[in-house]
Amino acid sequence: MKLGPGGDHTMSGAMDVDKDKALLGEAATKLKVDEDPENEGEWMKLADLRYRIVSAKKSADKEADLKEFLRIVEKFDAIAVYEALCTAGGAKRDAGLVKKLTESRDKRLKEVEDAVETAKELEGDMEVREGLMCKAQILARSAEQAVAVKAYDEAMSLPKTTSGQKLDIEFNLMRVGLFWGDIPFLDKHVQAAHVLVDNGGDWERRNRLKVYEATYLLCIRDFKKAASLLLESISTFTAVELYDYPKFVFYTVVCATVALDRKTVRERVIHAPEILQVIGDDITLETMMNSLYNCNYRDFFVSLVDVVVDKLSMDRFLAPHSRYFLRHARVGAYTQYLESYHTVALPSMAQTFGVSVDFLDRELSDLVACGRLSCKVDKVGGVIESNRPDTRNALYQQTIKTGDNLLNRIQKLSRVITI
């Protein structure tokens, strides 16, 4: 084949273009972020399994959880959480597995870092940002919290980062905080996400933030506000990267049981079609929810204990608050029962709740002493006298007191002005 003048340079240039295109195609493949929320949810499940393995009382459950834990660890090269489990005594450290995971993670990181460098030379900011997000995701799933946070901060600091992109990074950082149980860190980024949402967040991100914030509120035992946010998200739940819908319903029912009044529970929980579609698969939770509303207190107490022992105590968000929940749920049941009576026989109430007279006497005396119940226990007469709080009179007295304070302050101010 004959070449014209400069033909060799033309062919060389074409070959360089083809080479650049090949490099770009390879880089684009390696810079692909895993956007499957179910994969992210599976990675988040590692934190739940780790808690259950360390806390589990039944050996059979522990073995099944450990098997599932190791499967997910190998899928995501999750070295840091595996090391944390071994340190906590949940498993014996396998040096061969750690080496295998480290090599796999480092190989993937090297590919991504090389692809980022290629993108910096041949592509634009969008491809570089995608590469840094991919690197941060790998480190979030495999490394310790501080390393992951640093990687996401690097992506956040890139120029021309939109508010939507910043908000997505905040969601990633909130998941990192939830994964490692860092509540102050989580609080910080929930507030940062609120600022971004208020400045123009879209509908889907606003709804997801409600679920993230509600999960944070569960961790700090603010069940009332958590219940409100969870109920607002029932029909728009999309945060499957945190947990699945049945677990979301579980959290909603638990919060509503101790935080909402009977009328609200009936309208927004018991009769909610979204909850009814799911709760039938959890008989214990359904019994607890319905029996309290239907005043079947014996069934409520039995199902309440089952829910606390089998579910709350094994949930890493709610386990620290299981005793609080158990106590407040019982207070709610006692209050609801006593509202229907002026006086009731102690043995009759004990039979209704399925407990002994001595237990009920001790519990009610304790609750009355600390101001949680408005009643009197007459152990000699064997009766309980209900003292219904007069809210209208209390409001009147409070208004009078506030008015007196205001008049006193005005009089003092008038003397100063006159002088």
Side-chain angles (χ1 to χ4, degrees), residues 29-91:
T29 302
K30 292 176 179 177
L31 295 179
K32 186 69 174 176
V33 175
D34 183 4
E35 297 179 347
D36 187 346
E38 293 186 0
N39 281 341
E40 191 72 4
E42 191 174 21
W43 170 70
M44 289 291 292
K45 188 180 176 182
L46 280 174
D48 297 329
L49 290 170
R50 173 192 167 198
Y51 181 85
R52 287 165 53 184
I53 291 168
V54 174
S55 306
K57 299 176 182 178
K58 300 178 181 179
S59 59
D61 291 344
K62 183 175 180 179
E63 291 172 3
D65 288 342
L66 182 58
K67 183 178 180 180
E68 177 70 1
F69 179 87
L70 293 175
R71 182 190 69 79
I72 302 175
V73 161
E74 292 196 45
K75 179 177 180 179
F76 296 112
D77 298 328
I79 308 163
V81 70
Y82 173 73
E83 295 275 19
L85 178 71
C86 295
T87 302

Side-chain angles (χ1 to χ4, degrees), residues 33-308:
V33 175
D34 183 4
E35 297 179 347
D36 187 346
E38 293 186 0
N39 281 341
E40 191 72 4
E42 191 174 21
W43 170 70
M44 289 291 292
K45 188 180 176 182
L46 280 174
D48 297 329
L49 290 170
R50 173 192 167 198
Y51 181 85
R52 287 165 53 184
I53 291 168
V54 174
S55 306
K57 299 176 182 178
K58 300 178 181 179
S59 59
D61 291 344
K62 183 175 180 179
E63 291 172 3
D65 288 342
L66 182 58
K67 183 178 180 180
E68 177 70 1
F69 179 87
L70 293 175
R71 182 190 69 79
I72 302 175
V73 161
E74 292 196 45
K75 179 177 180 179
F76 296 112
D77 298 328
I79 308 163
V81 70
Y82 173 73
E83 295 275 19
L85 178 71
C86 295
T87 302
K92 185 177 180 181
R93 188 177 187 276
D94 185 343
L97 177 60
V98 172
K99 181 180 179 182
K100 174 186 173 184
L101 297 175
T102 304
E103 290 175 352
S104 175
R105 190 270 310 273
D106 291 348
K107 179 182 177 182
R108 174 70 175 137
L109 272 178
K110 182 67 167 56
E111 291 175 350
V112 171
E113 288 171 351
D114 291 344
V116 169
E117 293 302 318
T118 302
K120 287 180 179 179
E121 296 176 4
L122 304 175
E123 291 278 9
D125 294 338
M126 184 182 298
E127 290 74 20
V128 174
R129 176 176 290 104
E130 183 78 5
L132 291 179
M133 288 296 293
C134 184
K135 176 183 176 182
Q137 185 182 64
I138 294 171
L139 291 172
R141 293 175 173 179
S142 62
E144 296 178 351
Q145 178 181 340
V147 178
V149 171
K150 183 178 179 181
Y152 279 119
D153 286 344
E154 184 181 2
M156 181 81 83
S157 64
L158 287 175
K160 301 179 182 178
T161 303
T162 66
S163 59
Q165 291 167 339
K166 289 180 179 179
L167 194 52
D168 288 337
I169 293 174
E170 292 294 345
F171 280 124
N172 282 292
L173 288 169
M174 283 187 279
R175 286 199 298 275
V176 170
L178 281 169
F179 187 90
W180 293 106
D182 190 339
I183 305 305
F185 177 86
L186 179 60
D187 180 25
K188 172 186 173 183
H189 288 283
V190 166
Q191 301 306 320
H194 264 295
V195 173
L196 291 169
V197 164
D198 292 341
N199 291 333
D202 57 42
W203 176 86
E204 191 270 340
R205 289 187 175 99
R206 286 177 182 272
N207 285 315
R208 283 174 61 206
L209 180 57
K210 290 179 182 179
V211 180
Y212 280 75
E213 184 177 6
T215 309
Y216 159 69
L217 293 169
L218 288 177
C219 297
I220 63 170
R221 200 188 286 177
D222 190 345
F223 290 146
K224 188 174 183 63
K225 190 174 180 181
S228 176
L229 291 173
L230 291 170
L231 288 170
E232 290 176 11
S233 307
I234 283 182
S235 58
T236 59
F237 177 78
T238 57
V240 292
E241 69 275 11
L242 284 183
Y243 36 74
D244 56 23
Y245 196 69
K247 194 168 188 178
F248 169 81
V249 169
F250 169 71
Y251 289 145
T252 304
V253 172
V254 165
C255 290
T257 300
V258 296
L260 302 180
D261 60 79
R262 192 164 179 259
K263 180 181 177 182
T264 305
V265 169
R266 180 194 63 194
E267 295 176 351
R268 302 190 63 186
V269 181
I270 294 178
H271 292 165
E274 296 87 357
I275 291 180
L276 291 174
Q277 290 177 359
V278 176
I279 201 168
D281 297 331
D282 191 337
I283 302 300
T284 306
L285 186 66
E286 184 181 28
T287 302
M288 185 188 76
M289 178 182 74
N290 290 325
S291 59
L292 178 60
Y293 177 77
N294 294 325
C295 304
N296 298 324
Y297 298 110
R298 181 188 293 267
D299 293 342
F300 174 70
F301 266 34
V302 172
S303 58
L304 175 64
V305 171
D306 290 340
V307 167
V308 170

Side-chain angles (χ1 to χ4, degrees), residues 223 254 258 288 300-309 312 321-334 359 363:
F223 290 146
V254 165
V258 296
M288 185 188 76
F300 174 70
F301 266 34
V302 172
S303 58
L304 175 64
V305 171
D306 290 340
V307 167
V308 170
V309 173
L312 259 71
H321 317 302
S322 58
R323 290 175 61 86
Y324 172 91
F325 173 80
L326 181 61
R327 182 179 178 86
H328 279 248
R330 296 202 308 268
V331 170
Y334 294 142
F359 171 83
E363 175 135 287

